[in-house]
Amino acid sequence: MPRYAYANGRFVPHNQASVHIEDRGYQFADGVYEVVPVHQGHVVDEEPHLDRLERSLAELRIDMPMTRHALKLVSHELIRRNVLTNGFIYMQVTRGVAPRDHKFPKSKPRPALTMTTRQLPAKSEAQLEQGFAVITAPDQRWKRCDIKSIALLPNILAKQQAAEAGCDEAWLIDADGNVTEGAATNAWIVTPDKKVVTRQADHAILPGITRLSLTKLMAREGYELEIRPFSKEEAMNATEAFLTSSTNHVMPITKIDGQPVGNGHPGILTLKLREAYVEQVVNEGRGAAPGDIYNSMAV
Ligand code: PLP
């Protein structure tokens, strides 16, 4: 249990941290968030995560709650106070507190920043050997999934559907029959001719920081990558599949809708990419440079 949270401008005991009943995040989901991974007490990909936070806020015309430098100081202090080694920092920024009215408040309240941390166990060998099972479900989200909005109802419902099917994730299918991404992860496949495929980072997906780091790693190391949509059918016939996210790194997928992917075991290429990615996290704790997230929208 983390000992401290950051709320209303102060570090407070976690179980006493609270937000105002008229916080627009609470009433309208009028806010954004970031999940920033921490490995061995070291913040991973800090700059690209803060880039994405800044971008999400700008898209919604919410000011940064404090400077980037101050955000780093607060998050590092929270890591220290909570003795966080492996896990993540959760940052949430809302438009602030104002009497309930859909329009942006004229009073221009201060954006409300809250931060918590969570310790996570490392993935076990057994989990890695088994890989994840996913279901497919219709993508019922809005048309700006590139914004890391706290409005996550369709994602929650899809994740719950996956859990009730005994699976780990739901791959969301758009109106054209293509996989957009997972409910909380980016989606990848490997084709029979060994090309790694992931969808372009347009408005239909969240531009994952792990996705960004991995594409850069692959470019550096000469892997063949195709950035394009892929259909549910193509995924079902892929030789390998995997997902990426800050808390899962690169995770093999061995079943889609109950059917084995390839030979039903984690793919060789997937495991190679996982190893290379984890090594990068361990060695440098970063794979993308400041500003990359803006360029990644084109990738
Ligand atoms: N897609 C969605 C919808 C997500 O919620 C997340 C992570 O929360 C991701 C993709 C992966 O992003 P990242 O690699 O930055 O964790």
Side-chain angles (χ1 to χ4, degrees), residues 16 65 101 125 144 168 173 176 219 223 226 244 256 296:
Q16 288 168 34
D101 182 357
E125 280 305 313
R144 288 304 308 274
D168 304 282
I173 311 297
D176 299 325
Y223 286 92
E226 282 186 6
T244 55
I256 302 176
S296 85

Side-chain angles (χ1 to χ4, degrees), residues 42 82-83 134 137 165 222 283:
H42 173 93
N82 288 339
V83 202
V134 303
N283 288 344

Side-chain angles (χ1 to χ4, degrees), residues 33-35 37 49 52 141 145 148 152 155 172 181-187 205-212 244-247:
Y33 72 106
E34 265 305 319
V35 173
H49 276 282
R52 186 170 65 185
R141 301 174 302 162
C145 297
K148 202 162 167 62
L152 288 172
N155 309 60
L172 306 176
E181 60 180 333
T185 55
N186 287 119
I205 70 164
L206 183 79
I209 303 301
T210 320
R211 174 190 177 282
L212 176 62
T244 55
S245 79
S246 294
T247 50

Side-chain angles (χ1 to χ4, degrees), residues 113-135:
L113 167 69
T114 50
M115 253 190 239
T116 51
T117 66
R118 171 97 61 86
Q119 182 80 23
L120 285 181
K123 290 265 179 306
S124 68
E125 280 305 313
Q127 274 174 309
L128 272 177
E129 271 166 33
Q130 192 176 355
F132 274 2
V134 303
I135 56 159

Side-chain angles (χ1 to χ4, degrees), residues 2-3 41 77-86 117 119:
R3 295 182 292 185
E77 176 60 14
L78 199 58
I79 291 171
R80 194 189 67 76
R81 287 188 184 221
N82 288 339
V83 202
L84 179 67
T85 49
N86 293 303
T117 66
Q119 182 80 23

Side-chain angles (χ1 to χ4, degrees), residues 7-25:
N8 307 313
R10 292 184 305 136
F11 294 98
V12 284
H14 186 270
N15 60 2
Q16 288 168 34
S18 61
V19 293
H20 195 284
I21 198 168
E22 287 196 302
D23 186 294
R24 288 180 63 95

Side-chain angles (χ1 to χ4, degrees), residues 213-230:
S213 287
L214 190 66
T215 55
K216 289 171 76 79
L217 182 155
M218 290 177 72
R220 262 197 324 272
E221 301 199 359
Y223 286 92
E224 268 198 84
L225 174 66
E226 282 186 6
I227 305 277
R228 61 165 174 83
F230 60 88

